[in-house]
Every structure is written in C-alpha cells, then in structure tokens.
Amino acid sequence: MAELYEGKFGSCCKDLADAMTVPPKTFFRVDENGVLYLTIGYVPTDREPCFYDQAVIFCPFCGKQLQTKEQIKAAANALRKPVGESAAEPTVSAKELADCLRAGAKKPSFWQRLRGGG
C-alpha cells in the first residue's frame, strides 16, 4: 500500500499545484467536505451543463496517495444529517438527472464526430 501524503492538496508537486490554480476554471476542486475531486465528464444540455466528478485518490502527476477510500467515505458520511432530522432537498432531482443524461446520450460524442459518425 502506498504511503499517504499528509500535505495540503496541491503541495505534493508543482504540476498538481498548477492544475488546481491555472486556468481559473480548473477541473480539480476541494469540496466542502474536504475531499479533492476531478471533473471527468461534462454533458452540455439545453437547460444547463451536467458534470461528473470523481474523488482523486492518487495525484495524477506524481503518483502520491492523497486520500484513501475510507477518508472519502467518512467525509461523505459526515455531511449526512442524523436519523430523525429532515434531509436537505437535493439540488437536482432524479428525474432532472435522468433527463440530463438522456439529452447527452442523444448527442454524438467528440470521438463519434471526429470519426464522422455524428
């Protein structure tokens, strides 16, 4: 198992530090729960863009382990309200998410367009 890097996200190497700050609209973000995420998918729709984020476990540049699955799971669970309290309304309903994904699936991908298939 890799040794866990204990520093602040982006301090393990210059490449990650640059990727987190340049350009201003970076695909890396630290969520309010303290987890580092990378946007790995984007679907433009008529209503609004849809993004898919994945938690980063290893630095994609230097390979150091930045967080563990257990830390990510604990951070996600820490934001949940205890039983008995009403949960916050989701920002996107399941129907809206399904509509967003369906809309994106109907459009040809970059690779399909590149190959002349869309």
Side-chain angles (χ1 to χ4, degrees), residues 77-105:
N77 289 336
L79 291 180
R80 293 184 181 167
K81 293 196 180 254
V83 176
E85 293 185 32
S86 62
E89 285 294 315
T91 56
V92 177
S93 71
K95 181 184 179 320
E96 289 173 322
L97 179 59
D99 291 344
C100 178
L101 294 174
R102 268 190 226 100

Side-chain angles (χ1 to χ4, degrees), residues 11 16 24 40 64 88 96:
S11 65
L16 182 58
I40 61 171
K64 291 181 181 163
E96 289 173 322

Side-chain angles (χ1 to χ4, degrees), residues 9-93:
F9 294 131
S11 65
C12 62
C13 67
K14 182 178 181 335
D15 290 331
L16 182 58
D18 289 347
M20 291 181 68
T21 56
V22 179
K25 295 288 185 182
T26 178
F27 289 104
F28 289 96
R29 68 178 178 84
V30 179
D31 200 28
E32 64 187 26
N33 62 8
V35 174
L36 176 63
Y37 289 95
L38 171 64
T39 300
I40 61 171
Y42 167 80
V43 178
T45 66
D46 296 337
R47 292 186 56 203
E48 60 186 23
C50 298
F51 295 91
Y52 181 73
D53 295 336
Q54 179 66 47
V56 176
I57 295 177
F58 294 93
C59 175
F61 304 104
C62 70
K64 291 181 181 163
Q65 185 171 7
L66 303 177
Q67 51 195 358
T68 65
K69 290 181 182 180
E70 293 77 22
Q71 289 173 322
I72 295 165
K73 185 176 180 179
N77 289 336
L79 291 180
R80 293 184 181 167
K81 293 196 180 254
V83 176
E85 293 185 32
S86 62
E89 285 294 315
T91 56
V92 177
S93 71

Side-chain angles (χ1 to χ4, degrees), residues 43-46 101-110 112-113 118:
V43 178
T45 66
D46 296 337
L101 294 174
R102 268 190 226 100
K106 292 177 185 174
K107 296 179 181 178
S109 72
F110 168 79
Q112 289 170 328
R113 289 191 309 269

